[in-house]
PDB file of all heavy atoms in Angstrom:
ATOM      1  N   HIS U   8     -73.996  26.096 127.364  1.00 53.00           N
ATOM      2  CA  HIS U   8     -74.580  27.253 128.020  1.00 53.00           C
ATOM      3  C   HIS U   8     -74.532  28.491 127.165  1.00 53.00           C
ATOM      4  O   HIS U   8     -75.437  29.319 127.127  1.00 53.00           O
ATOM      5  CB  HIS U   8     -73.889  27.544 129.364  1.00 53.00           C
ATOM      6  CG  HIS U   8     -74.170  26.521 130.432  1.00 53.00           C
ATOM      7  ND1 HIS U   8     -75.419  26.062 130.676  1.00 53.00           N
ATOM      8  CD2 HIS U   8     -73.345  25.833 131.262  1.00 53.00           C
ATOM      9  CE1 HIS U   8     -75.366  25.165 131.612  1.00 53.00           C
ATOM     10  NE2 HIS U   8     -74.131  25.001 131.985  1.00 53.00           N
ATOM     11  N   SER U  30     -96.344  48.676 118.425  1.00 43.00           N
ATOM     12  CA  SER U  30     -96.815  49.830 119.213  1.00 43.00           C
ATOM     13  C   SER U  30     -96.990  51.064 118.335  1.00 43.00           C
ATOM     14  O   SER U  30     -97.688  51.993 118.721  1.00 43.00           O
ATOM     15  CB  SER U  30     -95.893  50.105 120.386  1.00 43.00           C
ATOM     16  OG  SER U  30     -94.652  50.584 119.932  1.00 43.00           O
ATOM     17  N   ASN U  53    -114.850  55.493 107.815  1.00 94.00           N
ATOM     18  CA  ASN U  53    -115.149  54.068 108.059  1.00 94.00           C
ATOM     19  C   ASN U  53    -114.265  53.182 107.195  1.00 94.00           C
ATOM     20  O   ASN U  53    -113.732  52.200 107.605  1.00 94.00           O
ATOM     21  CB  ASN U  53    -116.619  53.772 107.831  1.00 94.00           C
ATOM     22  CG  ASN U  53    -117.420  53.775 109.112  1.00 94.00           C
ATOM     23  OD1 ASN U  53    -116.918  53.508 110.171  1.00 94.00           O
ATOM     24  ND2 ASN U  53    -118.684  54.141 109.000  1.00 94.00           N
ATOM     25  N   ASP U  61    -115.240  52.620 118.782  1.00 96.00           N
ATOM     26  CA  ASP U  61    -115.524  51.980 120.051  1.00 96.00           C
ATOM     27  C   ASP U  61    -116.570  52.762 120.845  1.00 96.00           C
ATOM     28  O   ASP U  61    -117.367  52.159 121.591  1.00 96.00           O
ATOM     29  CB  ASP U  61    -114.222  51.871 120.885  1.00 96.00           C
ATOM     30  CG  ASP U  61    -113.219  50.945 120.236  1.00 96.00           C
ATOM     31  OD1 ASP U  61    -113.582  49.762 119.992  1.00 96.00           O
ATOM     32  OD2 ASP U  61    -112.118  51.381 119.921  1.00 96.00           O
ATOM     33  N   ARG U  64    -120.136  59.973 120.692  1.00 97.00           N
ATOM     34  CA  ARG U  64    -120.778  60.952 121.552  1.00 97.00           C
ATOM     35  C   ARG U  64    -121.273  62.139 120.740  1.00 97.00           C
ATOM     36  O   ARG U  64    -120.717  62.447 119.673  1.00 97.00           O
ATOM     37  CB  ARG U  64    -119.878  61.374 122.724  1.00 97.00           C
ATOM     38  CG  ARG U  64    -118.622  62.086 122.334  1.00 97.00           C
ATOM     39  CD  ARG U  64    -117.720  62.415 123.552  1.00 97.00           C
ATOM     40  NE  ARG U  64    -117.183  61.272 124.213  1.00 97.00           N
ATOM     41  CZ  ARG U  64    -116.091  60.562 123.838  1.00 97.00           C
ATOM     42  NH1 ARG U  64    -115.430  60.934 122.808  1.00 97.00           N
ATOM     43  NH2 ARG U  64    -115.659  59.536 124.524  1.00 97.00           N
TER      44      ARG U  64
END
Side-chain angles (χ1 to χ4, degrees):
H8 290 313
S30 69
N53 264 331
D61 294 303
R64 62 184 66 83

